[in-house]
Amino acid sequence: MKIGNLEINKKASLAPMAGAADRAFRELCSSYGAAFVVGELTSSKGVSMGDRKSGQLLSISDEERPAASQLFGDNPLVMAKAAEEALSYKPDFIDINMGCPAPKVSSNGCGSALMKNPELAGEIVKAVVKASTVPVTVKMRTGWDENSLNAPELAKICEQNGASMITVHGRTKVQMYSPGINYDIIKQVKESVSIPVIGNGDVTDARSALSMIEKTGCDGVMVGRGALGKPWVFREINHFFETGETLSEPSIDERMNVLKKHISKLIEYKGEYIAMREARKHAAWYVKGIRGAAKYRAEIGKINTFSDLEELIDKITGSFSGFGDTDEFDKFCFNNLNR
């Protein structure tokens, strides 16, 4: 698959999740084989006005490439200016958000609200493409609601105005994150354009990635919530598509070691005070599905330092130390869930 002149050789990429897919997490997912990663949602107004936080959101490290900067906005000129600013951070491509359902974004005519204004959406794509020296892509939903499933039509408009790839989350803005995915609309998008199409929504493992591709014919999948507390999901998906085999879940020791590595990166980039408060949600995702998870989540809510986290991890790994990496261990940890 090619995004403009950028060649992508793997099937699963990391979705742009505000407050979760920061530099630390993107680097971790890249290390496990994510095809590419997309940075957190960034306001074009903030970027064009020199907002410090917006600049931080656009920062990309060599360890996470290929990587995209994602912008949102409703003004073509401002979006173009933001794209020019984003180029200073050397993204491999720029992604335009037309799918965010959050009220603070969509209520201002941005994100998924652009699906109600295809003409403006096309003007934005055209302006950003003209301003950019790297490929420009678009992420959208199936439509605003069930009465306006216009993703295929919008995808055509984006392609005609220079977009190099389309990602479709298989739900409407109104649906937010449930119920299930509308695979038919993603399939229609794929059939309506000649550029690559990525399917997004409810991809949590190798089997669901395969299902997305088989049902829609899309060129790849994007993993969002399915990667939270599980960055190795990209390794599992890659292995499955390369060999047809399903990898077993990592041991508790490995999961906790990845958690420590993740939070160490957070501390490096954000300092311990901020990092440890963000670590609480990440740690809760990492313990999901293991026996005693509810009890551990209560303790996670009280951690304030990296030492606190290490003590809790020692307690968790110690609880399972008698099992080792055996079938009995796997059955105990993953078939007797206490969420």
Side-chain angles (χ1 to χ4, degrees):
M1 180 181 77
K2 282 194 171 184
I3 305 173
N5 58 0
L6 178 66
E7 188 167 336
I8 303 296
N9 298 311
K10 297 172 183 175
K11 289 292 186 183
S13 55
L14 176 67
M17 295 176 285
D22 57 11
R23 177 182 173 182
F25 190 59
R26 296 195 306 266
E27 287 183 353
L28 197 56
C29 290
S30 291
S31 73
Y32 277 105
F36 60 83
V37 301
V38 183
E40 296 177 84
L41 187 68
T42 308
S43 165
S44 59
K45 283 185 180 180
V47 175
S48 63
M49 294 173 64
D51 175 63
R52 180 171 168 270
K53 182 178 180 182
S54 296
Q56 291 174 340
L57 292 175
L58 292 175
S59 178
I60 293 173
S61 68
D62 289 338
E63 286 76 17
E64 58 185 287
R65 297 185 184 278
S69 297
Q70 190 185 64
L71 299 171
F72 76 91
D74 64 344
N75 185 305
L77 293 178
V78 175
M79 284 287 285
K81 183 178 179 181
E84 291 175 349
E85 292 293 329
L87 290 173
S88 65
Y89 296 91
K90 299 181 178 173
D92 295 292
F93 59 100
I94 291 175
D95 190 61
I96 300 173
N97 185 292
M98 297 186 188
C100 180
K104 67 180 181 180
V105 174
S106 60
S107 63
N108 292 316
C110 307
S112 55
L114 286 173
M115 300 200 72
K116 297 193 292 184
N117 195 341
E119 183 178 351
L120 175 59
E123 292 174 2
I124 287 173
V125 174
K126 184 176 182 179
V128 174
V129 168
K130 185 177 180 180
S132 178
T133 57
V134 298
V136 175
T137 63
V138 176
K139 190 171 191 289
M140 62 180 67
R141 288 192 163 232
T142 56
W144 179 263
D145 57 28
E146 289 297 319
N147 296 317
S148 57
L149 301 175
N150 64 335
E153 292 76 19
L154 182 58
K156 289 180 186 178
I157 292 172
C158 292
E159 180 183 30
Q160 290 165 1
N161 283 282
S164 295
M165 184 185 75
I166 304 292
T167 300
V168 187
H169 182 114
R171 297 184 176 94
T172 66
K173 183 274 179 191
V174 172
Q175 288 176 315
M176 296 292 282
Y177 297 100
S178 63
I181 296 301
N182 187 331
Y183 295 103
D184 289 339
I185 296 296
I186 300 176
K187 182 179 180 181
Q188 289 176 35
V189 171
K190 173 59 184 172
E191 293 171 347
S192 69
V193 297
S194 59
I195 54 178
V197 173
I198 304 296
N200 176 218
D202 290 357
V203 178
T204 59
D205 53 26
R207 295 290 179 182
S208 54
L210 177 64
S211 180
M212 173 68 81
I213 291 174
E214 287 183 335
K215 291 178 180 179
T216 68
C218 63
D219 300 282
V221 300
M222 184 168 278
V223 186
R225 292 173 294 165
L228 297 176
K230 191 182 175 183
W232 51 82
V233 67
F234 299 100
R235 177 181 66 187
E236 295 176 0
I237 292 173
N238 290 336
H239 184 80
F240 180 79
F241 278 96
E242 290 167 4
T243 68
E245 300 173 351
T246 303
L247 290 174
S248 60
E249 289 280 354
S251 68
I252 295 296
D253 281 346
E254 182 180 350
R255 291 174 74 161
M256 295 301 102
N257 283 334
V258 176
L259 170 58
K260 280 200 285 189
K261 181 179 180 180
H262 185 169
I263 305 310
S264 293
K265 281 179 173 285
L266 270 181
I267 292 172
E268 179 184 350
Y269 301 144
K270 299 183 179 183
E272 187 173 37
Y273 181 83
I274 294 175
M276 292 314 300
R277 276 140 190 83
E278 294 187 6
R280 295 168 184 169
K281 62 187 176 187
H282 288 290
W285 287 322
Y286 276 94
V287 302
K288 182 179 179 180
I290 69 172
R291 184 175 179 271
K295 178 185 70 175
Y296 296 134
R297 282 198 297 270
E299 296 185 49
I300 285 168
K302 301 174 184 177
I303 60 175
N304 292 304
T305 66
F306 190 69
S307 295
D308 292 341
L309 178 65
E310 288 182 309
E311 289 180 14
L312 179 57
I313 286 175
D314 288 342
K315 182 186 295 186
I316 293 172
T317 54
S319 299
F320 299 99
S321 60
F323 290 90
D325 295 323
T326 64
D327 290 340
E328 181 185 4
F329 167 81
D330 291 335
K331 182 178 179 180
F332 182 76
C333 291
F334 300 106
N335 294 340
N336 297 287
L337 304 183
N338 179 6
R339 298 181 187 276

